[in-house]
Amino acid sequence: MNDLTNKSWLNWFRLASPSAFYPVAGRLIPFFWILSIAFGLAGLWVSFFVAPVDAVQGQGYRIIFVHVPVSWMSMFLYIVMAGWAGISLVFNTRLSAMMAQAIAPIGAVMAFLSLWTGAFWGKPMWGAWWVWDARLTSELILFFLYLGFIALQASIDQVRRADKAGAILALVGVVNVPIIYFSVKWWNTLHQGASVSMSKAPSMAQTMLWGMLLMALCFWMYAIAVTLMRVRVIILERETHTDWVKQLEEVRS
């Protein structure tokens, strides 16, 4: 039993090597793309054709089926990015830094979509595209943190130094995530409270909830697929001097 456990751990640790992770990521990418498309089609169908019209907001509320999932993902991806960056900083692992670098642009896109869809929702509901609301402002800061992480890494030529600087920024920025989540509770904001909570029943129709969860799964699978695609590119860029990458290029040519 101990031998099997040790072998399992060795297999997991082996994946920490870029050369071992590269082919595994390649095999997983189609699987996550298929899941993303399947969840997306199901989520859009439920969200726009099955879920009822909101009694107060009318048809305009349907933007939340995109807005809420991408907002969740913008926060979740930042935590994951900071986690990988922290592992890289503490253990000096190459793949961890590559994963953080791969996630950053995807998180930035999710944060941008959150702000953009929020503006489309806010205009008919509040009468303004943008207000300096606590949640909106903290989400904007999250977007800038993503951009700052990307720009900081790009501005430093030495890879290890860039990874360390980016990791410190990512870890410091984590404090903004709970601020986004709890902003509607801590301050008197225009933004409505959470419709889905772990501590109480959801304040929406079941079909609305299903549509939102299916779209969340769609964006989650999408983020994993694109992250794996990006990290494979980063691995080839950073490991271009290694024998296994040279052999791979020879096979492709």
Side-chain angles (χ1 to χ4, degrees), residues 49-163:
F49 298 102
V50 179
V53 178
D54 186 80
V56 177
Q57 302 180 38
Q59 296 286 4
Y61 91 98
R62 296 188 191 276
I63 195 71
I64 70 168
F65 293 114
V66 176
H67 174 68
V68 174
V70 294
S71 299
W72 287 344
M73 288 305 302
S74 69
M75 293 184 286
F76 177 73
L77 287 175
Y78 192 92
I79 293 172
V80 175
M81 181 189 77
W84 281 118
I87 293 172
S88 170
L89 186 65
V90 174
F91 298 104
N92 201 28
T93 51
R94 292 177 296 161
L95 184 60
S96 301
M98 296 177 195
M99 289 294 293
Q101 184 181 352
I103 291 170
I106 306 163
V109 169
M110 293 296 174
F112 174 78
L113 287 175
S114 173
L115 294 167
W116 186 57
T117 54
F120 273 91
W121 179 83
K123 178 60 176 177
M125 304 306 162
W126 300 340
W129 295 102
W130 177 265
V131 292
W132 290 102
D133 177 87
R135 174 158 287 185
L136 274 67
T137 304
S138 53
E139 182 70 20
L140 180 63
I141 291 171
L142 183 69
F143 177 61
F144 286 141
L145 283 169
Y146 277 121
L147 295 184
F149 179 89
I150 296 168
L152 181 61
Q153 284 204 317
S155 66
I156 301 175
D157 294 331
Q158 212 283 326
V159 174
R160 291 293 184 183
R161 288 181 58 238
D163 289 340

Side-chain angles (χ1 to χ4, degrees), residues 17-19 21-23 25 95 98-99 228 230-240 242 244-245:
S17 168
S19 60
F21 184 79
Y22 182 86
L95 184 60
M98 296 177 195
M99 289 294 293
L228 292 176
R230 280 188 47 77
V231 80
R232 277 166 56 91
V233 174
I234 294 169
I235 286 173
L236 292 180
E237 290 176 348
R238 292 197 180 192
E239 301 287 299
T240 186
T242 59
W244 74 271
V245 172

